[in-house]
Amino acid sequence: MKNMKAYFRLLIFSLLIPLFTPVKAQQKPELSGYKSIEAKLERWTKYCNDLVDANNYPLLIIAAKQGTGLCSHTNNYQKMSQFAYFTGYGYEYSNNQYEQAIIYYEQANAYALKAHSLKDEVNALMRLNYMYYSVRKFSKRDTLIQYIKAIVDTTKDVYSQAILNGSIGEYYLDLSQYERFISYKLKAIDYRKNAFG
């Protein structure tokens, strides 16, 4: 009986430890030590990625908007695209604020096009595909998919091919066109294998 009590105390104590252990907060970086705006933007991008990894979406929204502010006196459209994407991502995963997310994903896509950054464009297109479906903007989604179909074979980048084919596959799944869904998903899988080994 004595051993059982000790066992239960140990069990309860081990279950309570995580409740009282402080969670490592993502530290806001101090940018004054960075000499160039490019170095500051790179550091701030890493900070936003860390917030994504930590699932800290409310703080991600704030940080991404600050990142956009850092870009205000530059023509760095790629970074503007990335910070708009982070903002949209934060809204999407912070209480499903899809309408707000769409605004920022559309901005991210527009900046990616100006920057000629296919990877950033592809990321924005993938999220927009989900968002338009989620808020029932089907005509916008149809137009988006037609655009994706037009560009999918124009790139040799296997990461982009995987994402774009996967997005088209999801579109057909939502339309219950299973053969097309499977066809595009198999293409996406093949490209992912090539992209990630």
Side-chain angles (χ1 to χ4, degrees), residues 149 168-169 172-173 177-185:
K149 284 181 175 182
I168 297 169
Y172 284 119
L173 175 64
Q177 296 182 21
Y178 300 115
E179 286 182 25
R180 285 182 166 181
F181 160 71
I182 291 169
S183 173
Y184 280 103
K185 278 301 188 177

Side-chain angles (χ1 to χ4, degrees), residues 143-157:
T143 302
L144 180 81
I145 292 299
Q146 292 310 312
Y147 175 73
I148 291 173
K149 284 181 175 182
I151 66 167
V152 71
D153 292 325
T154 65
T155 179
K156 304 230 183 295
D157 179 63

Side-chain angles (χ1 to χ4, degrees), residues 107-122:
Q107 287 178 9
N109 187 51
Y111 287 132
L113 287 169
K114 284 185 177 184
H116 304 290
S117 175
L118 180 64
K119 183 178 179 187
D120 293 313
E121 179 185 5
V122 165

Side-chain angles (χ1 to χ4, degrees), residues 26-31 37 40-41 43-45 47-48 51 58-74 79-80 82-84 86-87 91 104:
Q26 300 303 318
Q27 290 294 327
K28 182 176 173 180
E30 176 54 53
L31 298 181
I37 187 64
K40 290 177 182 181
L41 291 171
R43 180 61 187 99
W44 206 260
T45 302
Y47 174 51
C48 288
L51 292 172
L59 189 54
L60 175 63
I61 294 167
I62 294 166
K65 288 181 178 181
Q66 290 171 333
T68 300
L70 288 172
C71 293
S72 63
H73 299 296
T74 72
K79 286 298 175 192
M80 293 166 90
Q82 290 170 358
F83 291 128
F86 284 133
T87 306
Y91 278 117
Y104 288 98

Side-chain angles (χ1 to χ4, degrees), residues 71-102:
C71 293
S72 63
H73 299 296
T74 72
N75 286 329
N76 192 331
Y77 294 119
Q78 183 176 18
K79 286 298 175 192
M80 293 166 90
S81 174
Q82 290 170 358
F83 291 128
Y85 177 86
F86 284 133
T87 306
Y89 198 83
Y91 278 117
E92 178 181 352
Y93 286 96
S94 182
N95 297 321
N96 302 325
Q97 299 176 65
Y98 294 157
E99 293 288 350
Q100 281 295 109
I102 286 171

